[in-house]
């Protein structure tokens, strides 16, 4: 299910996720495909995931959903990171600026990402009651910038160049769509970072030619996740959809790309959707079985997934 309001979506998912087999695409599907792109990009940077700082610009349902899944991945892969330490890697920004714990308007699902006021009191900012994206980039120096704000052009040249000044391979994902609402275009991001930015977008963008290299731009399309996730759940008759299963889907998707090649996309293309869905489905079903949630034994996962896939074969029709 999807397209419920921010407050209702998180409330309903929290209420029912441990009772019925349910999945919210805006929160969990978006998060999974973005996590996959982040994992592919992080491999290129050479830094461990939990060594990165993440800024989420537009931290509503989708933005916090992404943050939650990335946070969980940090907890799984980090050597000694606690939940509090994982939260400290994130800077969430909404309509009133950086989330700070003395803002009464924050919703329950946003509040865990609020910074404590003493943490930001020493920052050089124009307005302490409205800490902007530019303030966060300058003071916190995040290495991953995610846009789910629907504010077209919000990732301006000064902001991106500031990020590129301290980060060798900035990970920048303008995910808002349609194209007119994208926080930046891939062409600008690559130009402003001398080709060093690792980019994924929410809207489809064509290849970008820069300095003799053609960059294929990954589209973080939820269709790379939800068909395979649903197929895996149906095949093993999973009782629940868990964060572990969603993370397994993201990791399977990330494993299908070779982002080390210069100009390569961070995600598979939509033209490979059947293979992507099958790969994701196998990972999801196996994770469900590991968690004791599979009601159908996986005796031959690949064949079982294949048997459940619809084959687009049509009988010939002869006009008489």
């Amino acid at each position: 299910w999807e397209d419920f309001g921010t407050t209702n979506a998180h409330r309903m998912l929290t209420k029912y996720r441990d009772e019925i087999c349910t999945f919210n695409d805006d929160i969990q599907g978006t998060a999974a495909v973005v996590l996959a792109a982040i994992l592919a990009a992080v491999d290129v940077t050479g830094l461990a995931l939990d060594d990165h700082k993440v800024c989420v610009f537009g931290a509503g349902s989708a933005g916090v959903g992404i943050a939650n899944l990335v946070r969980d991945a940090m907890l799984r892969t980090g050597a000694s990171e606690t939940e509090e330490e994982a939260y400290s890697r994130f800077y969430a920004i909404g309509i009133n600026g950086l989330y700070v714990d003395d803002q009464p308007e924050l919703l329950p699902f946003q509040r865990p990402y609020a910074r404590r006021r003493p943490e930001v009191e020493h920052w050089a900012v124009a307005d302490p009651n409205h800490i902007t994206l530019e303030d966060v980039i300058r003071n916190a120096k995040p290495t991953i910038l995610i846009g789910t704000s629907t504010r077209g052009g919000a990732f301006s040249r000064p902001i991106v160049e500031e990020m590129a000044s301290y980060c060798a391979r900035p990970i920048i994902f303008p995910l808002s769509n349609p194209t007119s609402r994208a926080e930046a275009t891939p062409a600008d991001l690559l130009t402003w970072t001398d080709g060093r930015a690792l980019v994924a977008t929410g809207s489809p963008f064509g290849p970008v030619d820069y300095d003799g290299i053609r960059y294929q731009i990954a589209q973080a399309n939820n269709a790379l996740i939800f068909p395979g996730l649903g197929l895996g759940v149906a095949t093993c008759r999973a009782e629940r959809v868990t964060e572990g299963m969603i993370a397994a889907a993201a990791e399977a998707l990330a494993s299908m790309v070779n982002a080390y090649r210069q100009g390569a996309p961070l995600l598979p293309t939509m033209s490979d959707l059947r293979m992507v869905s099958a790969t994701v489905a196998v990972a999801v079903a196996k994770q469900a079985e590991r968690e004791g949630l599979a009601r159908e034994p996986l005796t031959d996962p690949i064949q079982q997934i294949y048997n459940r896939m619809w084959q687009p074969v049509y009988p010939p029709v002869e006009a008489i």
Side-chain angles (χ1 to χ4, degrees):
W1 51 285
E2 62 179 344
D3 290 339
F4 283 72
T6 296
T7 305
N8 285 337
H10 273 272
R11 178 178 57 81
M12 291 170 64
L13 183 61
T14 300
K15 180 176 180 178
Y16 293 113
R17 68 192 310 165
D18 295 326
E19 297 179 18
I20 61 175
C21 189
T22 186
F23 168 78
N24 178 271
D25 190 50
D26 292 322
I27 298 170
Q28 297 167 297
T30 300
V33 72
V34 174
L35 174 60
I38 287 174
L39 293 175
V42 162
D43 277 348
V44 177
T45 68
L47 291 174
L49 177 61
D50 51 314
D51 287 330
H52 284 268
K53 294 181 183 179
V54 184
C55 177
V56 180
F57 183 68
S61 287
V64 172
I66 293 166
N68 285 342
L69 201 59
V70 176
R71 177 208 64 207
D72 289 347
M74 287 179 172
L75 289 169
R76 284 196 311 276
T77 60
S80 59
E81 196 154 286
T82 66
E83 190 169 88
E84 185 177 355
E85 289 170 333
Y87 275 119
S88 74
R89 313 297 297 177
F90 291 84
Y91 297 84
I93 300 175
I95 193 168
N96 293 320
L98 179 70
Y99 290 171
V100 183
D101 60 4
D102 56 7
Q103 294 171 333
E105 70 275 9
L106 295 181
L107 297 170
F109 71 89
Q110 297 168 329
R111 194 157 288 282
Y113 290 96
R115 311 300 295 197
R116 296 183 180 91
R117 179 60 68 180
E119 293 179 60
V120 298
E121 282 181 337
H122 67 282
W123 284 13
V125 299
D127 182 358
N129 295 315
H130 188 102
I131 299 175
T132 66
L133 172 60
E134 192 167 5
D135 293 330
V136 172
I137 297 295
R138 188 172 57 252
N139 289 277
K141 302 190 183 311
T143 53
I144 300 174
L145 177 57
I146 295 169
T148 48
S149 68
T150 69
R151 283 186 52 194
F155 296 170
S156 65
R157 182 168 191 158
I159 287 172
V160 173
E161 288 182 340
E162 173 70 20
M163 191 174 178
S165 71
Y166 62 77
C167 183
R169 299 300 304 270
I171 299 171
I172 307 177
F173 292 178
L175 299 177
S176 294
N177 50 51
T179 306
S180 61
R181 299 199 172 206
E183 288 80 6
T185 67
D188 283 344
L189 293 175
L190 289 165
T191 300
W192 298 338
T193 62
D194 297 323
R196 293 184 285 122
L198 296 160
V199 181
T201 61
S203 299
F205 283 89
V208 175
D209 294 316
Y210 179 81
D211 199 22
I213 297 169
R214 171 155 288 194
Y215 292 83
Q216 303 293 332
I217 307 303
Q219 183 191 1
N221 191 320
N222 295 16
L224 294 169
I225 288 290
F226 67 76
L229 189 143
L231 177 60
V233 167
T235 299
C236 72
R237 298 182 62 236
E239 296 177 12
R240 303 283 184 272
V241 178
T242 66
E243 291 300 299
M245 292 159 65
I246 294 168
E251 290 163 6
L253 185 59
S255 73
M256 299 185 70
V257 297
N258 177 15
Y260 289 96
R261 180 174 57 81
Q262 202 164 11
L266 297 175
L267 292 167
T269 65
M270 293 296 290
S271 61
D272 295 325
L273 190 55
R274 284 185 69 82
M275 181 176 66
V276 167
S277 295
T279 303
V280 168
V282 170
V284 167
K286 286 183 175 180
Q287 181 63 26
E289 187 173 61
R290 280 192 290 270
E291 295 183 26
L293 296 171
R295 290 178 290 187
E296 185 76 29
L298 293 178
T299 54
D300 186 350
I302 294 176
Q303 187 62 47
Q304 287 171 273
I305 293 294
Y306 179 79
N307 291 344
R308 288 293 301 242
M309 293 181 75
W310 176 72
Q311 305 298 326
V313 177
Y314 298 89
V317 176
E318 183 179 351
I320 298 176

